[in-house]
Amino acid sequence: VWQPPLSIVPCMLFLNCACFRLCNLPPYSVPMDLLSDNGARRLAAALELNKTLTSLSLPGSGLKAEGIKVLAKRLESPYCALEVLDLSPVRYVDDEAVKYLAIALHRNRTLKTLRLSKVFCTVETISSGPPTSSITNKGAQYLSQALQVNRSLLCLDIQNHNIGDQGAIFLADGLMRNDVLTALLLGWSQIGNKGHERLQQAWNVSKTLTTLDLNFIEQDSLSPCTETAADALHSRLPTVPLLGCNVKPVPVITTQ
């Protein structure tokens, strides 16, 4: 499959912007493994003048913290038009990278969807080597602080990271002070009993959240009381397809 050299990616972006505006073509997507941190600088330069492209997908790219930092700076611009930034499945996104995105979310007024779910373990990913980075409770804390002030983000997807109980508690605190977010995807994030209980409290408080994906919570740490609470939550939540996800749609809440 032909892949364009990095030197023409910004040109392709401008052409795609024009086509998207005139012909309503699909959003721009950079092929897997094409974009590095150096390429991100060129892409960011193109985005600086963009007024038409609203959705950008960079699946499985080689972006690390430095590349994310450059793109995040563009999200801070008052002229930013992006509504969807999809980096899933990410390979090298860590807490430092998330910090830059969280800072951008403090100022951004257009982004509605941010997807940072990590590569899921398959035969292919295992054979090519495991991802080297992950978002932990520190990154979750950065995102929690951003959620408390951001007034545009509707969907946050951070599945398959090492969020843990403490990270879930941070995110729950952010949700309690957020009146915009409608979907939080935390499946396969090593969340146990304490994190689940705090997220349940946030769910009870939130007036906007309609999708809370906690698939594959650490079952060994769940008490019978928590399982009952999860069943109650599931009865209140619709089972909906997770738009744009890179994984098969699943029930919104499950403890199995």
Side-chain angles (χ1 to χ4, degrees), residues 16 44 48 64 77 90 154 177 181 194 207 214-215 250:
N16 189 272
E48 186 173 9
K64 298 181 182 179
S77 169
V90 299
L154 300 178
R177 295 170 175 82
L181 197 74
K194 293 181 180 179
K207 297 180 180 179
L214 299 177
N215 244 340
V250 293

Side-chain angles (χ1 to χ4, degrees), residues 138-153:
K138 189 64 175 177
Q141 185 177 24
Y142 294 139
L143 290 171
S144 172
Q145 293 168 351
L147 288 176
Q148 295 179 40
V149 297
N150 180 273
R151 291 296 177 266
S152 66
L153 194 67

